[in-house]
Amino acid sequence: MISQSNWLRVTPSENIPSLEGRSVQIGGREIAIFNLHGRFVTIENKCPHKGGPLCDGIVSGTTVVCPLHGWRFDLDTGLAVRASLPACVTTFPTRVEDGVILVDIDHGSRIESEETAASSLAQIRLQD
Amino acid sequence: MKRHLIVVGNGMAGVACVEQILKLRHDFEITIFGDETHVNYNRILLSRVLAGEKSADDIVLNDIGWYRSNGIQARLGVRIENLDRDRRLVIDAQGQATPFDKLIIATGSSAFIPPIPGVEKKNVHVFRTLDDTRALLEKARKGCKAVVIGGGLLGLEAARGLQLRGCEVSVVHLMETLMERQLDPTGGAYLKRKIESLGIRVMLPQQTQALLGNGRVDGLRFASGEELEADLVVIAAGIKPNVDLARKAGLEVRRGIVVNDHMVTSDPNIHAVGECTEHRGQTFGLVAPLMEQGKALAAAITGNEGPAFTGSTSATKLKIMGVEIFSAGSIDDSAPGVETVRYEDPSLGIYKKLLLKNNRLEGVILVGDVSEERHYTGWLREETNLAPHRKHLLFPPPAEDAGLEIAEMPDSEVICGCNGVTKGTIIDAIHSSGIGTLSELKKCTRASTSCGSCTNLCEQLLRAVASDFQEETRTTLCSCVPFSYEQLREIMRGQQLKSVQEVLNVYGNGKGCEVCKPALSYMLDMLWCGDHEEDRSARFINDRVHANIQKDGTFSVVPRMRGGVTSADELRRIADVADKYKIPMVKVTGSQRIDLLGVKKADLPHVWADLGMPSGQAYTKGVRMVKTCVGTEFCRFGVQDSTRAGIELEQRLENLFTPHKVKMGAVGCPRNCAEATVKDIGMIGQDGSWQIVVGGAAGKSVRKADLLITVETTELALEACELFFQYYRENGNYLERTYDFVERLGIEKIRKETVYAAEPEKKKLLDRLKRSKALAKDAWLERETPAHATQFVQIEAIDKTEKAIL
């Protein structure tokens, strides 16, 4: 069953520069919103390795690299890329309305396996 | 008695043909007439000369020694005007006649100038010869408005060259799409986007009706009535074969001089080769077929067995760095029975299209990725049955290793398309001449001497076959931009690239990663001294907020404390800041400074303001500090004022960035209390002199620094430090500490190119340092003028946890 969505207004989109991330405290969580050339994506702001602030990482394509020890996560799936151990972060539905970024904080999703990642990634990329 | 062979034309086709003749048994005495005053040069690379990537000397194919050692008489700057076939004489512009037994006409082609009123005006040029190029170079100035008429290969190359010289360039083309003879409309559209992304304006379709201006051109008028301002006009509207000499002599001439498969004209004693010829109804404008013609001609004229020329598939490649275009064969997809296979990726700008007929390749168009070009040329030439390859037409099956692919290649496969050098020829040359390096191979076989796109293949072959192969050391920065640091510096400088994204778009995968982005950022900053587009997203977080990220996401703040000298006032401010911002730890560092640890990002600008001290750059690859001892000031052993010298050195270099961090030390006597011998740059005071040492380390590696020089005065000591510092900035690879740098280059070379360099060279290094320093700023001033509104600000959500009302 799908529960009702809870889209929260976060911040004007111009507050997040292109190819950078910013952290926000919201709904008892700390999230990191990224601007991928005008497309906004949201993940939890905590690297599963040692808790690094992913919002401060360098963006490479559609991935972000944790500033502490270089773990890399796909921003669409939340899945760790080329990691020695399987790992992931939660991703949150994100959209922009009237220049304001909205995040559905109650519908974060975690993909724990490669196969589910592949199929959901394919879907996400199709929509782009 | 030897027969006299005259070659009219000293261009690529004529001389290449003579080179082929020299390889065969012959009884000729050879004279070459050329109306240009230059020795034979590589015309294909003129656009590179215009772009500043090569000098005129770099493109010489046969220097004067070649003519001499082969007994060839070169008559340069002499134009042959007439040909007396009955008496077998050529007659030059002065009326002087020279007899021949055999004649080769290799007069090439000239720029076609469309009949537009005003083409005779000043500053209207063509782009065909070295002299044309030089004339353009004289006129091309920063801000000059240049218009190129013609959106073909040459026009686009000229446009890019002029743009790199600082001109504002527009390309005006008569047709709907660029390079329409080589590309379909889709390919043309991809090319247009790429050219526009370089900053060149493309105007299509636009018919030029007149060139305006009083004596000197100042604009163009189009058929549409629109006008366009221009200080300089380059006409690149195509070429026309130079056939006047042949026509006047009564040889059969249609568009070109008509030749048979042995390159013989309608007169059996007269041959022709190159762009002036017409063979089976076709004329030529590219190098590869001319080389094949030359071989056929050489065999025929010397009476040796050899290949006949039966025509050639035309292949074209655009030579603009970063704009990869390849086209070969027929691109007409409306022909009956032709099917097409295509692939496109608009965001990467890649477009590939193959035209097939009965499982044979008819034509190919590649935009954005030409790596498979060689396969396609092979398939075209061999008319390979592609049925077994149908699944891998656009992308090759992954090779298990690179060497395998080259091993499987047949000996007849052409490696160098420009000069027609096969794999077999290269292997023979390697074995018979004991070749071990690429440059030897170039000299011996001419492979890879024209457009250079087969360089990688040649190297692979050398690696596989040559027993004493020596590779030129070359490490690429990263797979996102697969070039060496040296190449990248040259590319950025030569192509005037000033942003990370631009470099990635033109030379890389368009994305970049955490390895290459900071490296490219450094290189741009070093090369352009602040006159570049700073892109914070390409920087590591430390360089976005000018503080060092800690394990919990907070930051550390180290203010500059030059030479490790502070004051009661500064210490009081530091203490107040520690209290005010509840800083969890205040620590004395190993570099004689104070570290405030655990600062929140949002507090950084306030902490800096309250400290009132500049950034100590402890977070970045840049100038850290100069650690000093008390020198002559208080120490009873001190023989040099190391404290003052250290502070001076720190002041001269602070706020600059370097390939990796630079820690320095200055000590007042050889007791070395501030450990100058294990610093990147150390000043060691002695009685009456300073020793300057470089490349020391006491971290992950421990290395005693090498002596750079011993000098008498403090000023000379500081200058030696500056010379090494700037040399390291310019030649060090990103993330290469001085201890690796010194070992890689060797201290002798470094000495020779810094402290022992000629005065003008030293001055240049110091001038570049001075220029960078003049533009370098204390990064902490961004507390007042942040790079972005939320650079340090913690964003607060508009809706908190309550349900949003939308």
Side-chain angles (χ1 to χ4, degrees):
Chain A
M1 201 191 90
I2 295 167
S3 62
Q4 237 183 337
S5 50
N6 183 19
W7 289 98
L8 295 180
R9 289 180 297 167
V10 184
T11 192
S13 61
E14 70 259 22
N15 275 341
I16 301 170
S18 193
L19 299 184
E20 287 192 37
R22 290 289 184 266
S23 72
V24 186
Q25 292 278 351
I26 193 163
R29 289 172 172 276
E30 187 169 320
I31 55 169
I33 307 178
F34 292 86
N35 175 348
L36 302 178
H37 293 297
R39 183 168 75 93
F40 293 85
V41 288
T42 306
I43 60 172
E44 70 178 293
N45 189 30
K46 192 173 177 185
C47 178
H49 173 222
K50 301 255 169 151
L54 295 172
C55 66
D56 285 339
I58 288 182
V59 172
S60 166
T62 55
T63 65
V64 65
V65 183
C66 178
L68 294 194
H69 307 97
W71 280 39
R72 181 191 294 264
F73 297 90
D74 188 294
L75 288 165
D76 287 317
T77 64
L79 212 66
V81 182
R82 297 199 297 268
S84 47
L85 295 166
C88 72
V89 290
T90 308
T91 59
F92 299 92
T94 308
R95 62 185 165 95
V96 178
E97 212 170 86
D98 299 329
V100 173
I101 298 167
L102 292 94
V103 176
D104 185 354
I105 203 72
D106 291 346
H107 287 86
S109 54
R110 288 175 76 84
I111 298 165
E112 305 285 352
S113 82
E114 294 273 353
E115 295 90 74
T116 40
S119 66
S120 74
L121 186 67
Q123 267 185 355
I124 292 165
R125 298 273 149 83
L126 266 179
Q127 287 158 13
D128 282 352
Chain B
M1 204 186 105
K2 283 197 165 185
R3 294 185 294 163
H4 191 202
L5 170 66
I6 287 184
V7 182
V8 180
N10 186 38
M12 292 177 81
V15 176
C17 179
V18 170
E19 283 189 326
Q20 294 297 330
I21 291 172
L22 294 174
K23 283 187 187 166
L24 302 171
R25 188 172 37 81
H26 71 92
D27 60 348
F28 290 123
E29 200 168 293
I30 303 172
T31 303
I32 301 179
F33 286 91
D35 64 352
E36 287 187 62
T37 50
H38 314 286
V39 291
N40 179 36
Y41 60 86
N42 190 339
R43 200 181 298 279
I44 316 175
L45 297 181
L46 283 177
S47 55
R48 298 263 162 102
V49 176
L50 186 61
E53 289 160 21
K54 291 192 182 293
S55 73
D57 289 343
D58 292 338
I59 66 164
V60 167
L61 284 174
N62 304 76
D63 59 20
I64 199 73
W66 175 85
Y67 294 84
R68 215 171 281 142
S69 61
N70 286 296
I72 294 166
Q73 204 186 349
R75 305 280 308 276
L76 303 182
V78 180
R79 189 179 170 82
I80 297 300
E81 292 278 4
N82 282 300
L83 168 57
D84 184 336
R85 281 168 58 198
D86 296 334
R87 294 195 290 159
R88 290 202 206 158
L89 297 171
V90 292
I91 298 140
D92 66 26
Q94 267 69 50
Q96 199 189 334
T98 315
F100 64 85
D101 297 299
K102 288 275 182 185
L103 176 70
I104 297 175
I105 302 180
T107 44
S109 60
S110 14
F112 166 68
I113 301 178
I116 304 170
V119 289
E120 73 293 340
K121 291 189 198 302
K122 261 194 193 153
N123 291 349
V124 178
H125 290 255
V126 294
F127 177 48
R128 182 77 198 138
T129 65
L130 194 51
D131 291 334
D132 295 340
T133 312
R134 286 192 171 137
L136 278 174
L137 283 175
E138 255 168 52
K139 301 277 172 63
R141 290 280 169 274
K142 205 172 165 67
C144 166
K145 291 188 182 63
V147 176
V148 177
I149 299 179
L153 194 72
L154 201 63
L156 294 176
E157 291 181 4
R160 179 61 168 159
L162 289 170
Q163 188 208 16
L164 291 172
R165 295 289 173 169
C167 300
E168 289 171 31
V169 184
S170 308
V171 173
V172 174
H173 193 46
L174 190 60
M175 310 306 280
E176 299 275 345
T177 58
L178 295 172
M179 285 181 72
E180 75 288 343
R181 287 173 62 186
Q182 291 89 16
L183 302 178
D184 65 350
T186 313
Y190 270 85
L191 171 60
K192 177 169 180 266
R193 260 204 293 160
K194 197 89 198 183
I195 294 289
E196 285 172 336
S197 78
L198 297 173
I200 295 170
R201 183 174 176 198
V202 179
M203 304 173 73
L204 310 166
Q206 211 51 285
Q207 186 184 353
T208 309
Q209 203 176 48
L211 300 182
L212 312 173
N214 189 7
R216 183 184 298 266
V217 77
D218 63 15
L220 292 81
R221 188 187 311 117
F222 301 119
S224 60
E226 282 173 79
E227 292 189 358
L228 177 67
E229 242 184 281
D231 307 315
L232 180 63
V233 170
V234 179
I235 296 180
I239 54 171
K240 59 172 195 328
N242 290 328
V243 295
D244 285 356
L245 183 66
R247 182 172 282 137
K248 276 193 284 184
L251 293 173
E252 187 187 351
V253 171
R254 285 196 286 261
R255 266 193 305 155
I257 304 167
V258 177
V259 290
N260 67 13
D261 288 358
H262 300 284
M263 310 310 291
V264 183
T265 66
S266 54
D267 180 329
N269 287 317
I270 302 177
H271 293 244
V273 68
E275 291 180 344
C276 60
T277 63
E278 177 175 330
H279 174 263
R280 300 189 184 182
Q282 202 189 352
T283 56
F284 305 86
L286 300 158
V287 182
L290 309 188
M291 300 291 166
E292 291 172 34
Q293 286 188 343
K295 278 184 194 165
L297 197 165
I301 206 169
T302 53
N304 285 283
E305 289 252 336
F309 181 72
T310 53
S312 172
T313 47
S314 63
T316 314
K317 202 164 171 185
L318 187 67
K319 283 166 298 300
I320 296 180
M321 283 185 98
V323 185
E324 306 209 319
I325 301 283
F326 175 80
S327 161
S330 156
I331 60 154
D332 178 12
D333 56 9
S334 63
V338 167
E339 46 180 340
T340 63
V341 180
R342 6 182 311 159
Y343 169 82
E344 40 181 318
D345 184 331
S347 67
L348 287 184
I350 294 176
Y351 174 65
K352 304 180 179 188
K353 176 174 169 184
L354 303 187
L355 294 92
L356 292 101
K357 194 174 173 181
N358 303 326
N359 272 327
R360 303 282 194 278
L361 189 62
E362 288 275 300
V364 55
I365 291 172
L366 303 175
V367 179
D369 174 10
V370 298
S371 49
E372 296 307 312
E373 159 225 330
R374 203 178 35 79
H375 277 137
Y376 300 136
T377 342
W379 287 349
L380 273 172
R381 196 184 39 243
E382 311 288 334
E383 298 179 9
T384 311
N385 176 12
L386 296 179
H389 302 285
R390 286 300 292 239
K391 282 187 176 164
H392 300 291
L393 288 179
L394 289 168
F395 300 93
E400 268 144 46
D401 74 291
L404 199 67
E405 202 197 345
I406 195 130
E408 282 173 352
M409 214 182 265
D411 277 1
S412 63
E413 181 138 353
V414 175
I415 302 277
C416 172
C418 295
N419 297 303
V421 186
T422 61
K423 178 187 169 190
T425 312
I426 293 180
I427 291 178
D428 283 350
I430 292 173
H431 287 318
S432 62
S433 318
I435 284 165
T437 65
L438 184 65
S439 48
E440 287 168 3
L441 182 70
K442 282 179 170 177
K443 212 172 256 173
C444 180
T445 63
R446 288 241 174 262
S448 163
T449 54
S450 293
C451 78
S453 63
C454 62
T455 307
N456 268 337
L457 273 175
C458 289
E459 274 181 351
Q460 278 181 34
L461 258 180
L462 275 166
R463 193 172 298 125
V465 182
S467 49
D468 55 348
F469 173 63
Q470 294 159 2
E471 192 163 15
E472 294 135 49
T473 42
R474 203 174 58 183
T475 37
T476 60
L477 168 55
C478 153
S479 59
C480 303
V481 258
F483 295 92
S484 70
Y485 286 94
E486 219 164 358
Q487 287 172 309
L488 282 167
R489 282 188 290 261
E490 205 179 293
I491 283 169
M492 290 178 189
R493 197 181 294 127
Q495 306 278 304
Q496 305 262 321
L497 298 178
K498 296 193 176 178
S499 80
V500 173
Q501 196 57 49
E502 215 178 352
V503 178
L504 289 170
N505 285 347
V506 181
Y507 293 96
N509 64 0
K511 294 178 190 161
C513 70
E514 78 282 7
V515 175
C516 57
K517 283 187 182 184
L520 294 172
S521 299
Y522 167 71
M523 284 188 257
L524 286 168
D525 180 83
M526 182 275 291
L527 277 173
W528 300 115
C529 320
D531 179 26
H532 66 286
E533 194 184 307
E534 167 72 16
D535 177 2
R536 282 295 155 82
S537 75
R539 299 277 193 183
F540 186 57
I541 184 64
N542 287 10
D543 284 304
R544 293 185 192 172
V545 297
H546 317 302
N548 198 351
I549 194 164
Q550 303 297 311
K551 60 182 281 187
D552 60 353
T554 64
F555 293 86
S556 82
V557 170
V558 181
R560 193 161 288 290
M561 205 174 265
R562 298 182 188 96
V565 177
T566 183
S567 66
D569 195 35
E570 269 182 1
L571 289 172
R572 225 172 264 125
R573 290 206 301 272
I574 291 170
D576 288 344
V577 163
D579 281 344
K580 182 172 169 187
Y581 297 94
K582 302 192 172 50
I583 284 166
M585 184 187 263
V586 181
K587 191 178 179 310
V588 174
T589 72
S591 52
Q592 297 183 338
R593 316 199 274 189
I594 290 174
D595 196 352
L596 305 168
L597 292 134
V599 183
K600 289 190 202 71
K601 194 198 278 179
D603 285 338
L604 288 170
H606 311 294
V607 167
W608 299 336
D610 290 354
L611 283 172
M613 296 162 77
S615 161
Q617 289 184 285
Y619 47 82
T620 191
K621 314 301 173 208
V623 173
R624 293 294 173 89
M625 82 303 173
V626 183
K627 189 171 180 173
T628 67
C629 66
V630 288
T632 46
E633 200 82 336
F634 287 93
C635 179
R636 61 199 165 99
F637 299 113
V639 289
Q640 290 285 0
D641 190 351
S642 52
T643 321
R644 207 167 53 103
I647 291 173
E648 171 74 18
L649 181 62
E650 193 164 336
Q651 255 161 350
R652 287 193 189 189
L653 304 181
E654 67 188 20
N655 297 331
L656 287 168
F657 295 94
T658 39
H660 208 308
K661 57 189 168 191
V662 172
K663 297 180 161 192
M664 295 172 281
V667 293
C669 82
R671 285 174 187 77
N672 194 24
C673 291
E675 300 132 12
T677 52
V678 286
K679 292 284 180 264
D680 293 290
I681 301 178
M683 299 174 71
I684 301 167
Q686 297 170 323
D687 207 356
S689 67
W690 288 97
Q691 274 189 347
I692 304 304
V693 294
V694 295
K700 192 167 64 182
S701 302
V702 179
R703 183 178 191 274
K704 185 170 187 269
D706 292 317
L707 178 67
L708 183 69
I709 194 170
T710 304
V711 290
E712 286 182 3
T713 67
T714 306
E715 183 48 41
L716 282 174
L718 291 167
E719 188 187 281
C721 295
E722 287 178 316
L723 285 169
F724 173 79
F725 178 81
Q726 181 64 11
Y727 184 76
Y728 168 56
R729 266 165 54 84
E730 293 179 8
N731 298 287
N733 296 337
Y734 190 66
L735 297 187
E736 178 181 45
R737 283 291 296 268
T738 60
Y739 52 82
D740 287 327
F741 175 71
V742 168
E743 296 215 335
R744 175 165 66 89
L745 270 69
I747 189 70
E748 282 311 320
K749 177 178 163 73
I750 293 174
R751 279 188 192 138
K752 222 184 292 170
E753 298 188 356
T754 57
V755 289
Y756 294 131
E759 284 307 318
E761 293 309 309
K762 281 172 42 177
K763 186 170 179 308
K764 277 185 208 160
L765 265 176
L766 293 174
D767 282 349
R768 288 195 293 269
L769 175 64
K770 223 178 274 169
R771 214 167 57 220
S772 292
K773 176 68 181 167
L775 286 155
K777 283 193 292 276
D778 170 18
W780 287 358
L781 294 176
E782 279 185 14
R783 62 178 176 253
E784 276 142 29
T785 47
H788 185 269
T790 59
Q791 184 178 6
F792 305 108
V793 174
Q794 175 60 52
I795 293 177
E796 297 292 332
I798 301 171
D799 296 331
K800 303 293 173 186
T801 43
E802 314 86 51
K803 178 95 186 146
I805 303 147
L806 298 171

